[in-house]
Amino acid sequence: MNTTQLGELILFHRKRAGLSREACALLAGVGKTAVYDLEHGKETIRMDTLLKILQVLNIKMQFISPLMEEYNHEQSEYFEQAIQNSQATQEQSD
C-alpha cells in the first residue's frame, strides 16, 4: 500500500463514519491539517499521528513477514521472563 492508497482508505472510513476532518482530528487529538495531509498522501506524517487517526477510524494495521512467527515467539519468551522476574522481585520484597 502506498501513501495515496492509505489516504484514500482513511478518507473512505472517515466519510463512512460521518466525521468531518475537524471532528476526526478532535477525536484523535491532532490538528485537522494532519487529517487533510494524510488523506492527500503526504509522505512525511508522524507515526503517532497516523496511529491516533487509525484508532479513531477503527482501522487496524497488520504486519506480515516470513519472520513474524519467530518474532512473536521471541516476544512471548521475553514477556514470560519479565513476568517471572517481576514476580520474583515481588516475593523478595514481601
Side-chain angles (χ1 to χ4, degrees):
M1 177 173 285
N2 63 38
T3 57
T4 300
Q5 292 167 323
L6 179 59
E8 291 170 355
L9 175 77
I10 289 170
L11 175 62
F12 174 83
H13 280 77
R14 180 179 63 76
K15 294 262 184 183
R16 285 293 173 102
L19 294 172
S20 65
R21 282 191 187 108
E22 293 83 7
C24 182
L26 182 65
L27 290 169
V30 301
K32 66 181 178 182
T33 304
V35 177
Y36 177 89
D37 288 346
L38 189 53
E39 290 178 351
H40 286 84
K42 184 174 181 183
E43 295 182 3
T44 57
I45 193 157
R46 289 176 48 135
M47 179 64 83
D48 63 332
T49 300
L50 171 62
L51 294 175
K52 289 174 183 178
I53 293 169
L54 293 177
Q55 183 176 12
V56 164
L57 298 174
N58 200 26
I59 300 171
K60 308 281 187 254
M61 285 195 302
Q62 181 178 6
F63 297 98
I64 301 170
S65 91
L67 300 174
M68 285 309 290
E69 187 174 330
E70 180 181 345
Y71 171 79
N72 288 333
H73 179 72
E74 285 184 15
Q75 290 300 303
S76 294
E77 287 180 349
Y78 171 81
F79 285 115
E80 240 177 71
Q81 186 63 44
I83 290 169
Q84 289 173 359
N85 291 344
S86 176
Q87 289 172 342
T89 302
Q90 181 69 26
E91 289 172 3
Q92 290 175 355
S93 67
D94 287 342

